[in-house]
Amino acid sequence: MISKSYPDWRVDIDEGKTLLLGAELFRSVASEKRPSWIGGVVESVLAATQLDFMGFGQRMLAICRDKSAWCTAESLFLELRRASLNSESERVPVECAMVDLFEVAAKVVFNASGAQPGFDAHAGARVLPLVWRIMRLIDQGPAREEALCLVEEALWRGAKKGR
């Protein structure tokens, strides 16, 4: 499913262009809707890859779904950062990109909580480039196409709701 508002991010696009498009996409999602949006993206990427670094993806989803837990995303980020640094040399590239996505998700959710000090406000612009990288690292074939459709729906659905 290709969004009518955004160019086809699957072809003829490089990482730099995905960052620009990602920034536009992130800005189109209202700040109070960002935890739900990023939760949908994380959920679809988890389904597409069948990978969850040490269960952090599922924990991130639980935080996204519970507004009263949004402020705990900072501690999840710090825990994830420590765990990922300790195992960095043991991970394959797709796992590294997944960890980066979970870190960005934690930043986005924590910022939406309004707690201070917040993370960099533009962190969510990296969501699309990370998803783009993850989708290119998973196996080819029909399963990859199905995964891309799931992820695209989560990305664009959030943007539509955020406008």
Side-chain angles (χ1 to χ4, degrees), residues 22-62:
E24 181 183 337
L25 175 62
F26 182 65
R27 282 191 306 269
S28 77
V29 180
S31 58
E32 69 275 2
K33 297 190 182 283
R34 289 176 179 165
S36 176
W37 171 74
I38 195 70
V41 172
V42 167
E43 184 174 34
S44 66
V45 170
L46 288 170
T49 63
Q50 299 297 304
L51 296 171
D52 187 358
F53 178 72
M54 298 175 65
F56 281 99
Q58 290 300 321
R59 291 172 59 196
M60 188 72 253
L61 285 177

Side-chain angles (χ1 to χ4, degrees), residues 8-15 18 49 93-94 97 128-140 144 148 152:
D8 187 352
W9 65 289
R10 294 185 189 193
V11 296
D12 299 327
I13 196 164
D14 60 29
E15 198 160 355
T18 62
T49 63
V94 71
L128 185 64
L130 288 167
V131 169
W132 179 80
R133 187 177 324 142
I134 291 165
M135 292 296 103
R136 277 160 177 68
L137 291 169
I138 64 173
D139 291 335
Q140 301 294 319
R144 182 174 183 263
L148 279 166
E152 284 178 335

Side-chain angles (χ1 to χ4, degrees), residues 7-152:
D8 187 352
W9 65 289
R10 294 185 189 193
V11 296
D12 299 327
I13 196 164
D14 60 29
E15 198 160 355
K17 289 179 184 174
T18 62
L19 186 56
L20 291 173
L21 182 58
E24 181 183 337
L25 175 62
F26 182 65
R27 282 191 306 269
S28 77
V29 180
S31 58
E32 69 275 2
K33 297 190 182 283
R34 289 176 179 165
S36 176
W37 171 74
I38 195 70
V41 172
V42 167
E43 184 174 34
S44 66
V45 170
L46 288 170
T49 63
Q50 299 297 304
L51 296 171
D52 187 358
F53 178 72
M54 298 175 65
F56 281 99
Q58 290 300 321
R59 291 172 59 196
M60 188 72 253
L61 285 177
I63 291 171
C64 289
R65 292 175 179 145
D66 180 4
K67 187 174 184 173
S68 67
W70 290 358
C71 61
T72 66
E74 180 184 37
S75 60
L76 183 74
F77 170 85
L78 295 172
E79 186 183 343
L80 175 58
R81 178 61 60 93
R82 280 190 298 275
S84 67
L85 290 175
N86 289 336
S87 67
E88 195 167 24
S89 63
E90 302 164 7
R91 286 183 280 129
V92 295
V94 71
E95 289 176 317
C96 293
M98 294 279 292
V99 167
D100 290 345
L101 178 63
F102 299 157
E103 286 182 357
V104 167
K107 289 178 178 185
V108 168
V109 173
F110 183 75
N111 286 348
S113 77
Q116 295 297 324
F119 288 103
D120 46 321
H122 61 279
R126 293 188 55 228
V127 171
L128 185 64
L130 288 167
V131 169
W132 179 80
R133 187 177 324 142
I134 291 165
M135 292 296 103
R136 277 160 177 68
L137 291 169
I138 64 173
D139 291 335
Q140 301 294 319
R144 182 174 183 263
E145 181 61 28
E146 188 176 316
L148 279 166
C149 289
L150 279 173
V151 171
E152 284 178 335

